[in-house]
Amino acid sequence: MPSPVNHVSIVGFGLMGAQIAQLLAQSGFSVSAYDVSEAQLHSGLDLVRKGKYGLENSVAKRRMTEEEADNALSRIILLNSLEDTCKGSDFVLEAVVEDLDTKREIFSKAAVYANQDAILASNTSTLTISRISESFSPKVRARIAGMHFFNPPQVMKLVEVVRTRETNREVVSKIEALCTSLHKTPVEVLDSPGFVANRIGISVFAEASSLLEKGIASVRDIDLAMRLGYGYPMGPFELGDLVGLDSRLRNMEAMYSDTQDERFRPPKILEKLVSEGYLGDPKTKRGSKGGYYEYFGLKRPGEDNG
Ligand code: CAA
């Protein structure tokens, strides 16, 4: 089924919002994007242009021509009003900070500003779609679903399409069709804390943190063990540094609060790093002092002979 939409309104232009906007634009979709912070709009655009998976690098690596990159960039319109971003839209994708009240507020406004039957999708990674949608009318709840991309979204092939028991079947099909147009593989998931991939991925990260805290092995050796022993492309700490340690912390807080499962209680070491400003790999995480590797003064696997 061809994509039922050709324009997507993105709310939140951080690490994920900006890269998803790029993915959509390079796949031929027009995008309007909004962020509450003007500085974030600028740094997001910088990521689209100059990021590791951004347009300039894609041209340099001959993944696209200069003309294709220019066309992709011209398809992204940045706006500083949520109303203008959603007006006349059939598809709104929210990618703001993992805060329930913020997401609910955005959805309540988007439901008014966007077209009457617009799909309201969230890229949340660990807040449940049911909790975001619970305060809305049944008609609006039927249009709310999860569309969960993985970082870096230009590269990672998976999108979790998350439905609640009230999400309309047609909404799910339309999101799946959009994924296919982006050359992604959708996996349909019934809403539950962490969905599928993070439920498993965060369990691995939690176990790795427990080994680190017990002094069983170093950050680098744990990462190497999972890379070389299990064939993971990245170990759990490198991956934490890539996705952002503040996000990882919020992910675990949300999953712990939803499940009360001790496995997901945020590790002390993670809380300490975040409170000291270690928010992840400074190459991708603006304003961060570093991630696990900078904190422990280690080289990431791949940065030397590892
Ligand atoms: N558009 C499309 N593809 C692009 C691209 C673009 N703009 N820019 C790069 N690529 C593709 C390239 O085609 C390249 O493939 P080829 O090698 O075939 O050319 C591919 O990206 C990889 O590029 P790299 O040179 O960076 O390759 P790498 O081998 O160093 O891989 C990595 C980097 C993809 C990040 C890899 O290390 C990896 O898969 N890491 C794990 C990432 C992961 O697990 N992500 C999930 C995080 S959890 C999450 O996001 C969920 C959450 O809610 C928090």
Side-chain angles (χ1 to χ4, degrees), residues 198-209:
N198 272 343
R199 186 78 175 230
I200 298 169
I202 288 178
S203 303
V204 170
F205 175 75
E207 201 53 45
S209 303

Side-chain angles (χ1 to χ4, degrees), residues 16 22 26 52-54 58 61 63-64 125 148-152 154-156 198 233-234 239 242-243 248 251:
M16 290 304 281
Q22 180 199 327
Q26 72 190 31
K52 186 167 178 208
Y53 302 99
S58 297
K61 293 192 174 170
R63 277 185 210 112
M64 60 178 80
S125 40
H148 181 219
F149 288 84
F150 290 79
N151 193 11
Q154 301 94 325
V155 181
M156 303 308 284
N198 272 343
M234 277 183 169
L239 190 55
L242 174 80
V243 299
R248 257 299 99 129
N251 288 160

